[in-house]
Amino acid sequence: QQQQQQQAEDSLEPALTYSLYGVLAKERLAQGTLPLSPKTSLRWLGFSAECTPLTMDSHGVIRALVYSGQAAVHSGHIAGQWVPVAEIPVQRPVQQLKRRQQQQQQQQAEDSLEPALTYSLYGVLAKERLAQGTLPLSPKTSLRWLGFSAECTPLTMDSHGVIRALVYSGQAAVHSGHIAGQWVPVAEIPVQRPVQQLKRRQQQQQQQQ
């Protein structure tokens, strides 16, 4: 029943009545029904450069009043019908609002996610695990490099160029017993993403041409 009701509603085509008047003749040239697409409203009404009456509904469907025979708008009574001649993609306000809200929610969800890896730091001489925990990364990035500084401080760099160092608590060092610390951003190197590199390369090629 719901499907039948939905089909019945979809088959209903809203319509308005119209009257076309001749300004010079001061008489009504045509009248009738102004058809619209199902579940739409009239968005625009006007004339083409050739004085053909045109309408556009809220779905972007453009209709023209096609005359019968050689009749013209400016000559006597005319007979014709409204025929769809084009369709322009039009976003409804509700759809625009929903899409914008979805995009904002998706962006907020992506921004709130911070990818992370787990790590374990081992002492080679002691043959034991010195530290372990989470290896933080910037949002929407991946691990680009992992190593040590000249002072044996563990370092990481993600795909956004953010460099982090494992800062120890107290006087502990990598080579002495178990250590406790946290990864702290210490520098950032400008890194071009592949898409940016491609766009810049294309721009340079276009400028050279």
Side-chain angles (χ1 to χ4, degrees):
Q1 292 178 351
Q2 291 179 350
Q3 291 179 351
Q4 293 177 352
Q5 183 178 0
Q6 185 66 33
Q7 292 175 354
E9 292 177 355
D10 293 340
S11 64
L12 294 176
E13 185 171 349
L16 302 173
T17 57
Y18 76 96
S19 295
L20 182 64
Y21 289 86
V23 177
L24 299 178
K26 296 181 180 180
E27 62 178 348
R28 185 169 57 194
L29 302 178
Q31 64 178 349
T33 300
L34 190 67
L36 300 175
S37 303
K39 300 181 181 180
T40 63
S41 58
L42 181 64
R43 178 67 61 87
W44 176 83
L45 174 65
F47 291 89
S48 69
E50 297 78 16
C51 295
T52 301
L54 298 174
T55 66
M56 184 178 76
D57 60 32
S58 54
H59 279 188
V61 178
I62 298 176
R63 290 176 172 82
L65 181 59
V66 179
Y67 313 123
S68 302
Q70 300 298 323
V73 176
H74 49 75
S75 60
H77 295 282
I78 62 176
Q81 60 180 347
W82 292 93
V83 178
V85 293
E87 184 173 357
I88 301 175
V90 176
Q91 288 187 345
R92 267 73 87 198
V94 176
Q95 290 180 340
Q96 290 177 336
L97 179 61
K98 287 183 178 179
R99 180 167 296 181
R100 188 175 304 167
Q101 290 176 345
Q102 291 176 352
Q103 291 176 346
Q104 290 176 350
Q105 292 174 354
Q106 183 177 359
Q107 186 64 37
Q108 291 175 355
E110 291 178 354
D111 293 341
S112 64
L113 295 177
E114 184 172 349
L117 302 174
T118 58
Y119 77 96
S120 295
L121 182 64
Y122 289 88
V124 179
L125 298 179
K127 296 181 180 180
E128 63 178 349
R129 186 168 57 194
L130 303 178
Q132 63 178 348
T134 301
L135 189 67
L137 300 174
S138 304
K140 301 180 182 178
T141 63
S142 57
L143 182 63
R144 179 66 61 85
W145 176 83
L146 174 65
F148 292 89
S149 69
E151 298 80 15
C152 295
T153 300
L155 298 174
T156 66
M157 184 178 76
D158 60 33
S159 54
H160 278 188
V162 178
I163 298 176
R164 291 177 172 83
L166 181 59
V167 179
Y168 312 123
S169 301
Q171 301 298 322
V174 175
H175 51 76
S176 60
H178 295 282
I179 62 176
Q182 59 179 345
W183 292 93
V184 178
V186 294
E188 184 173 354
I189 300 175
V191 176
Q192 289 186 348
R193 278 38 137 219
V195 177
Q196 292 178 340
Q197 291 177 341
L198 179 61
K199 288 183 178 180
R200 179 164 295 183
R201 188 177 302 168
Q202 290 175 346
Q203 291 176 353
Q204 291 175 350
Q205 292 176 351
Q206 291 175 356
Q207 289 177 356
Q208 292 177 356
Q209 294 175 354

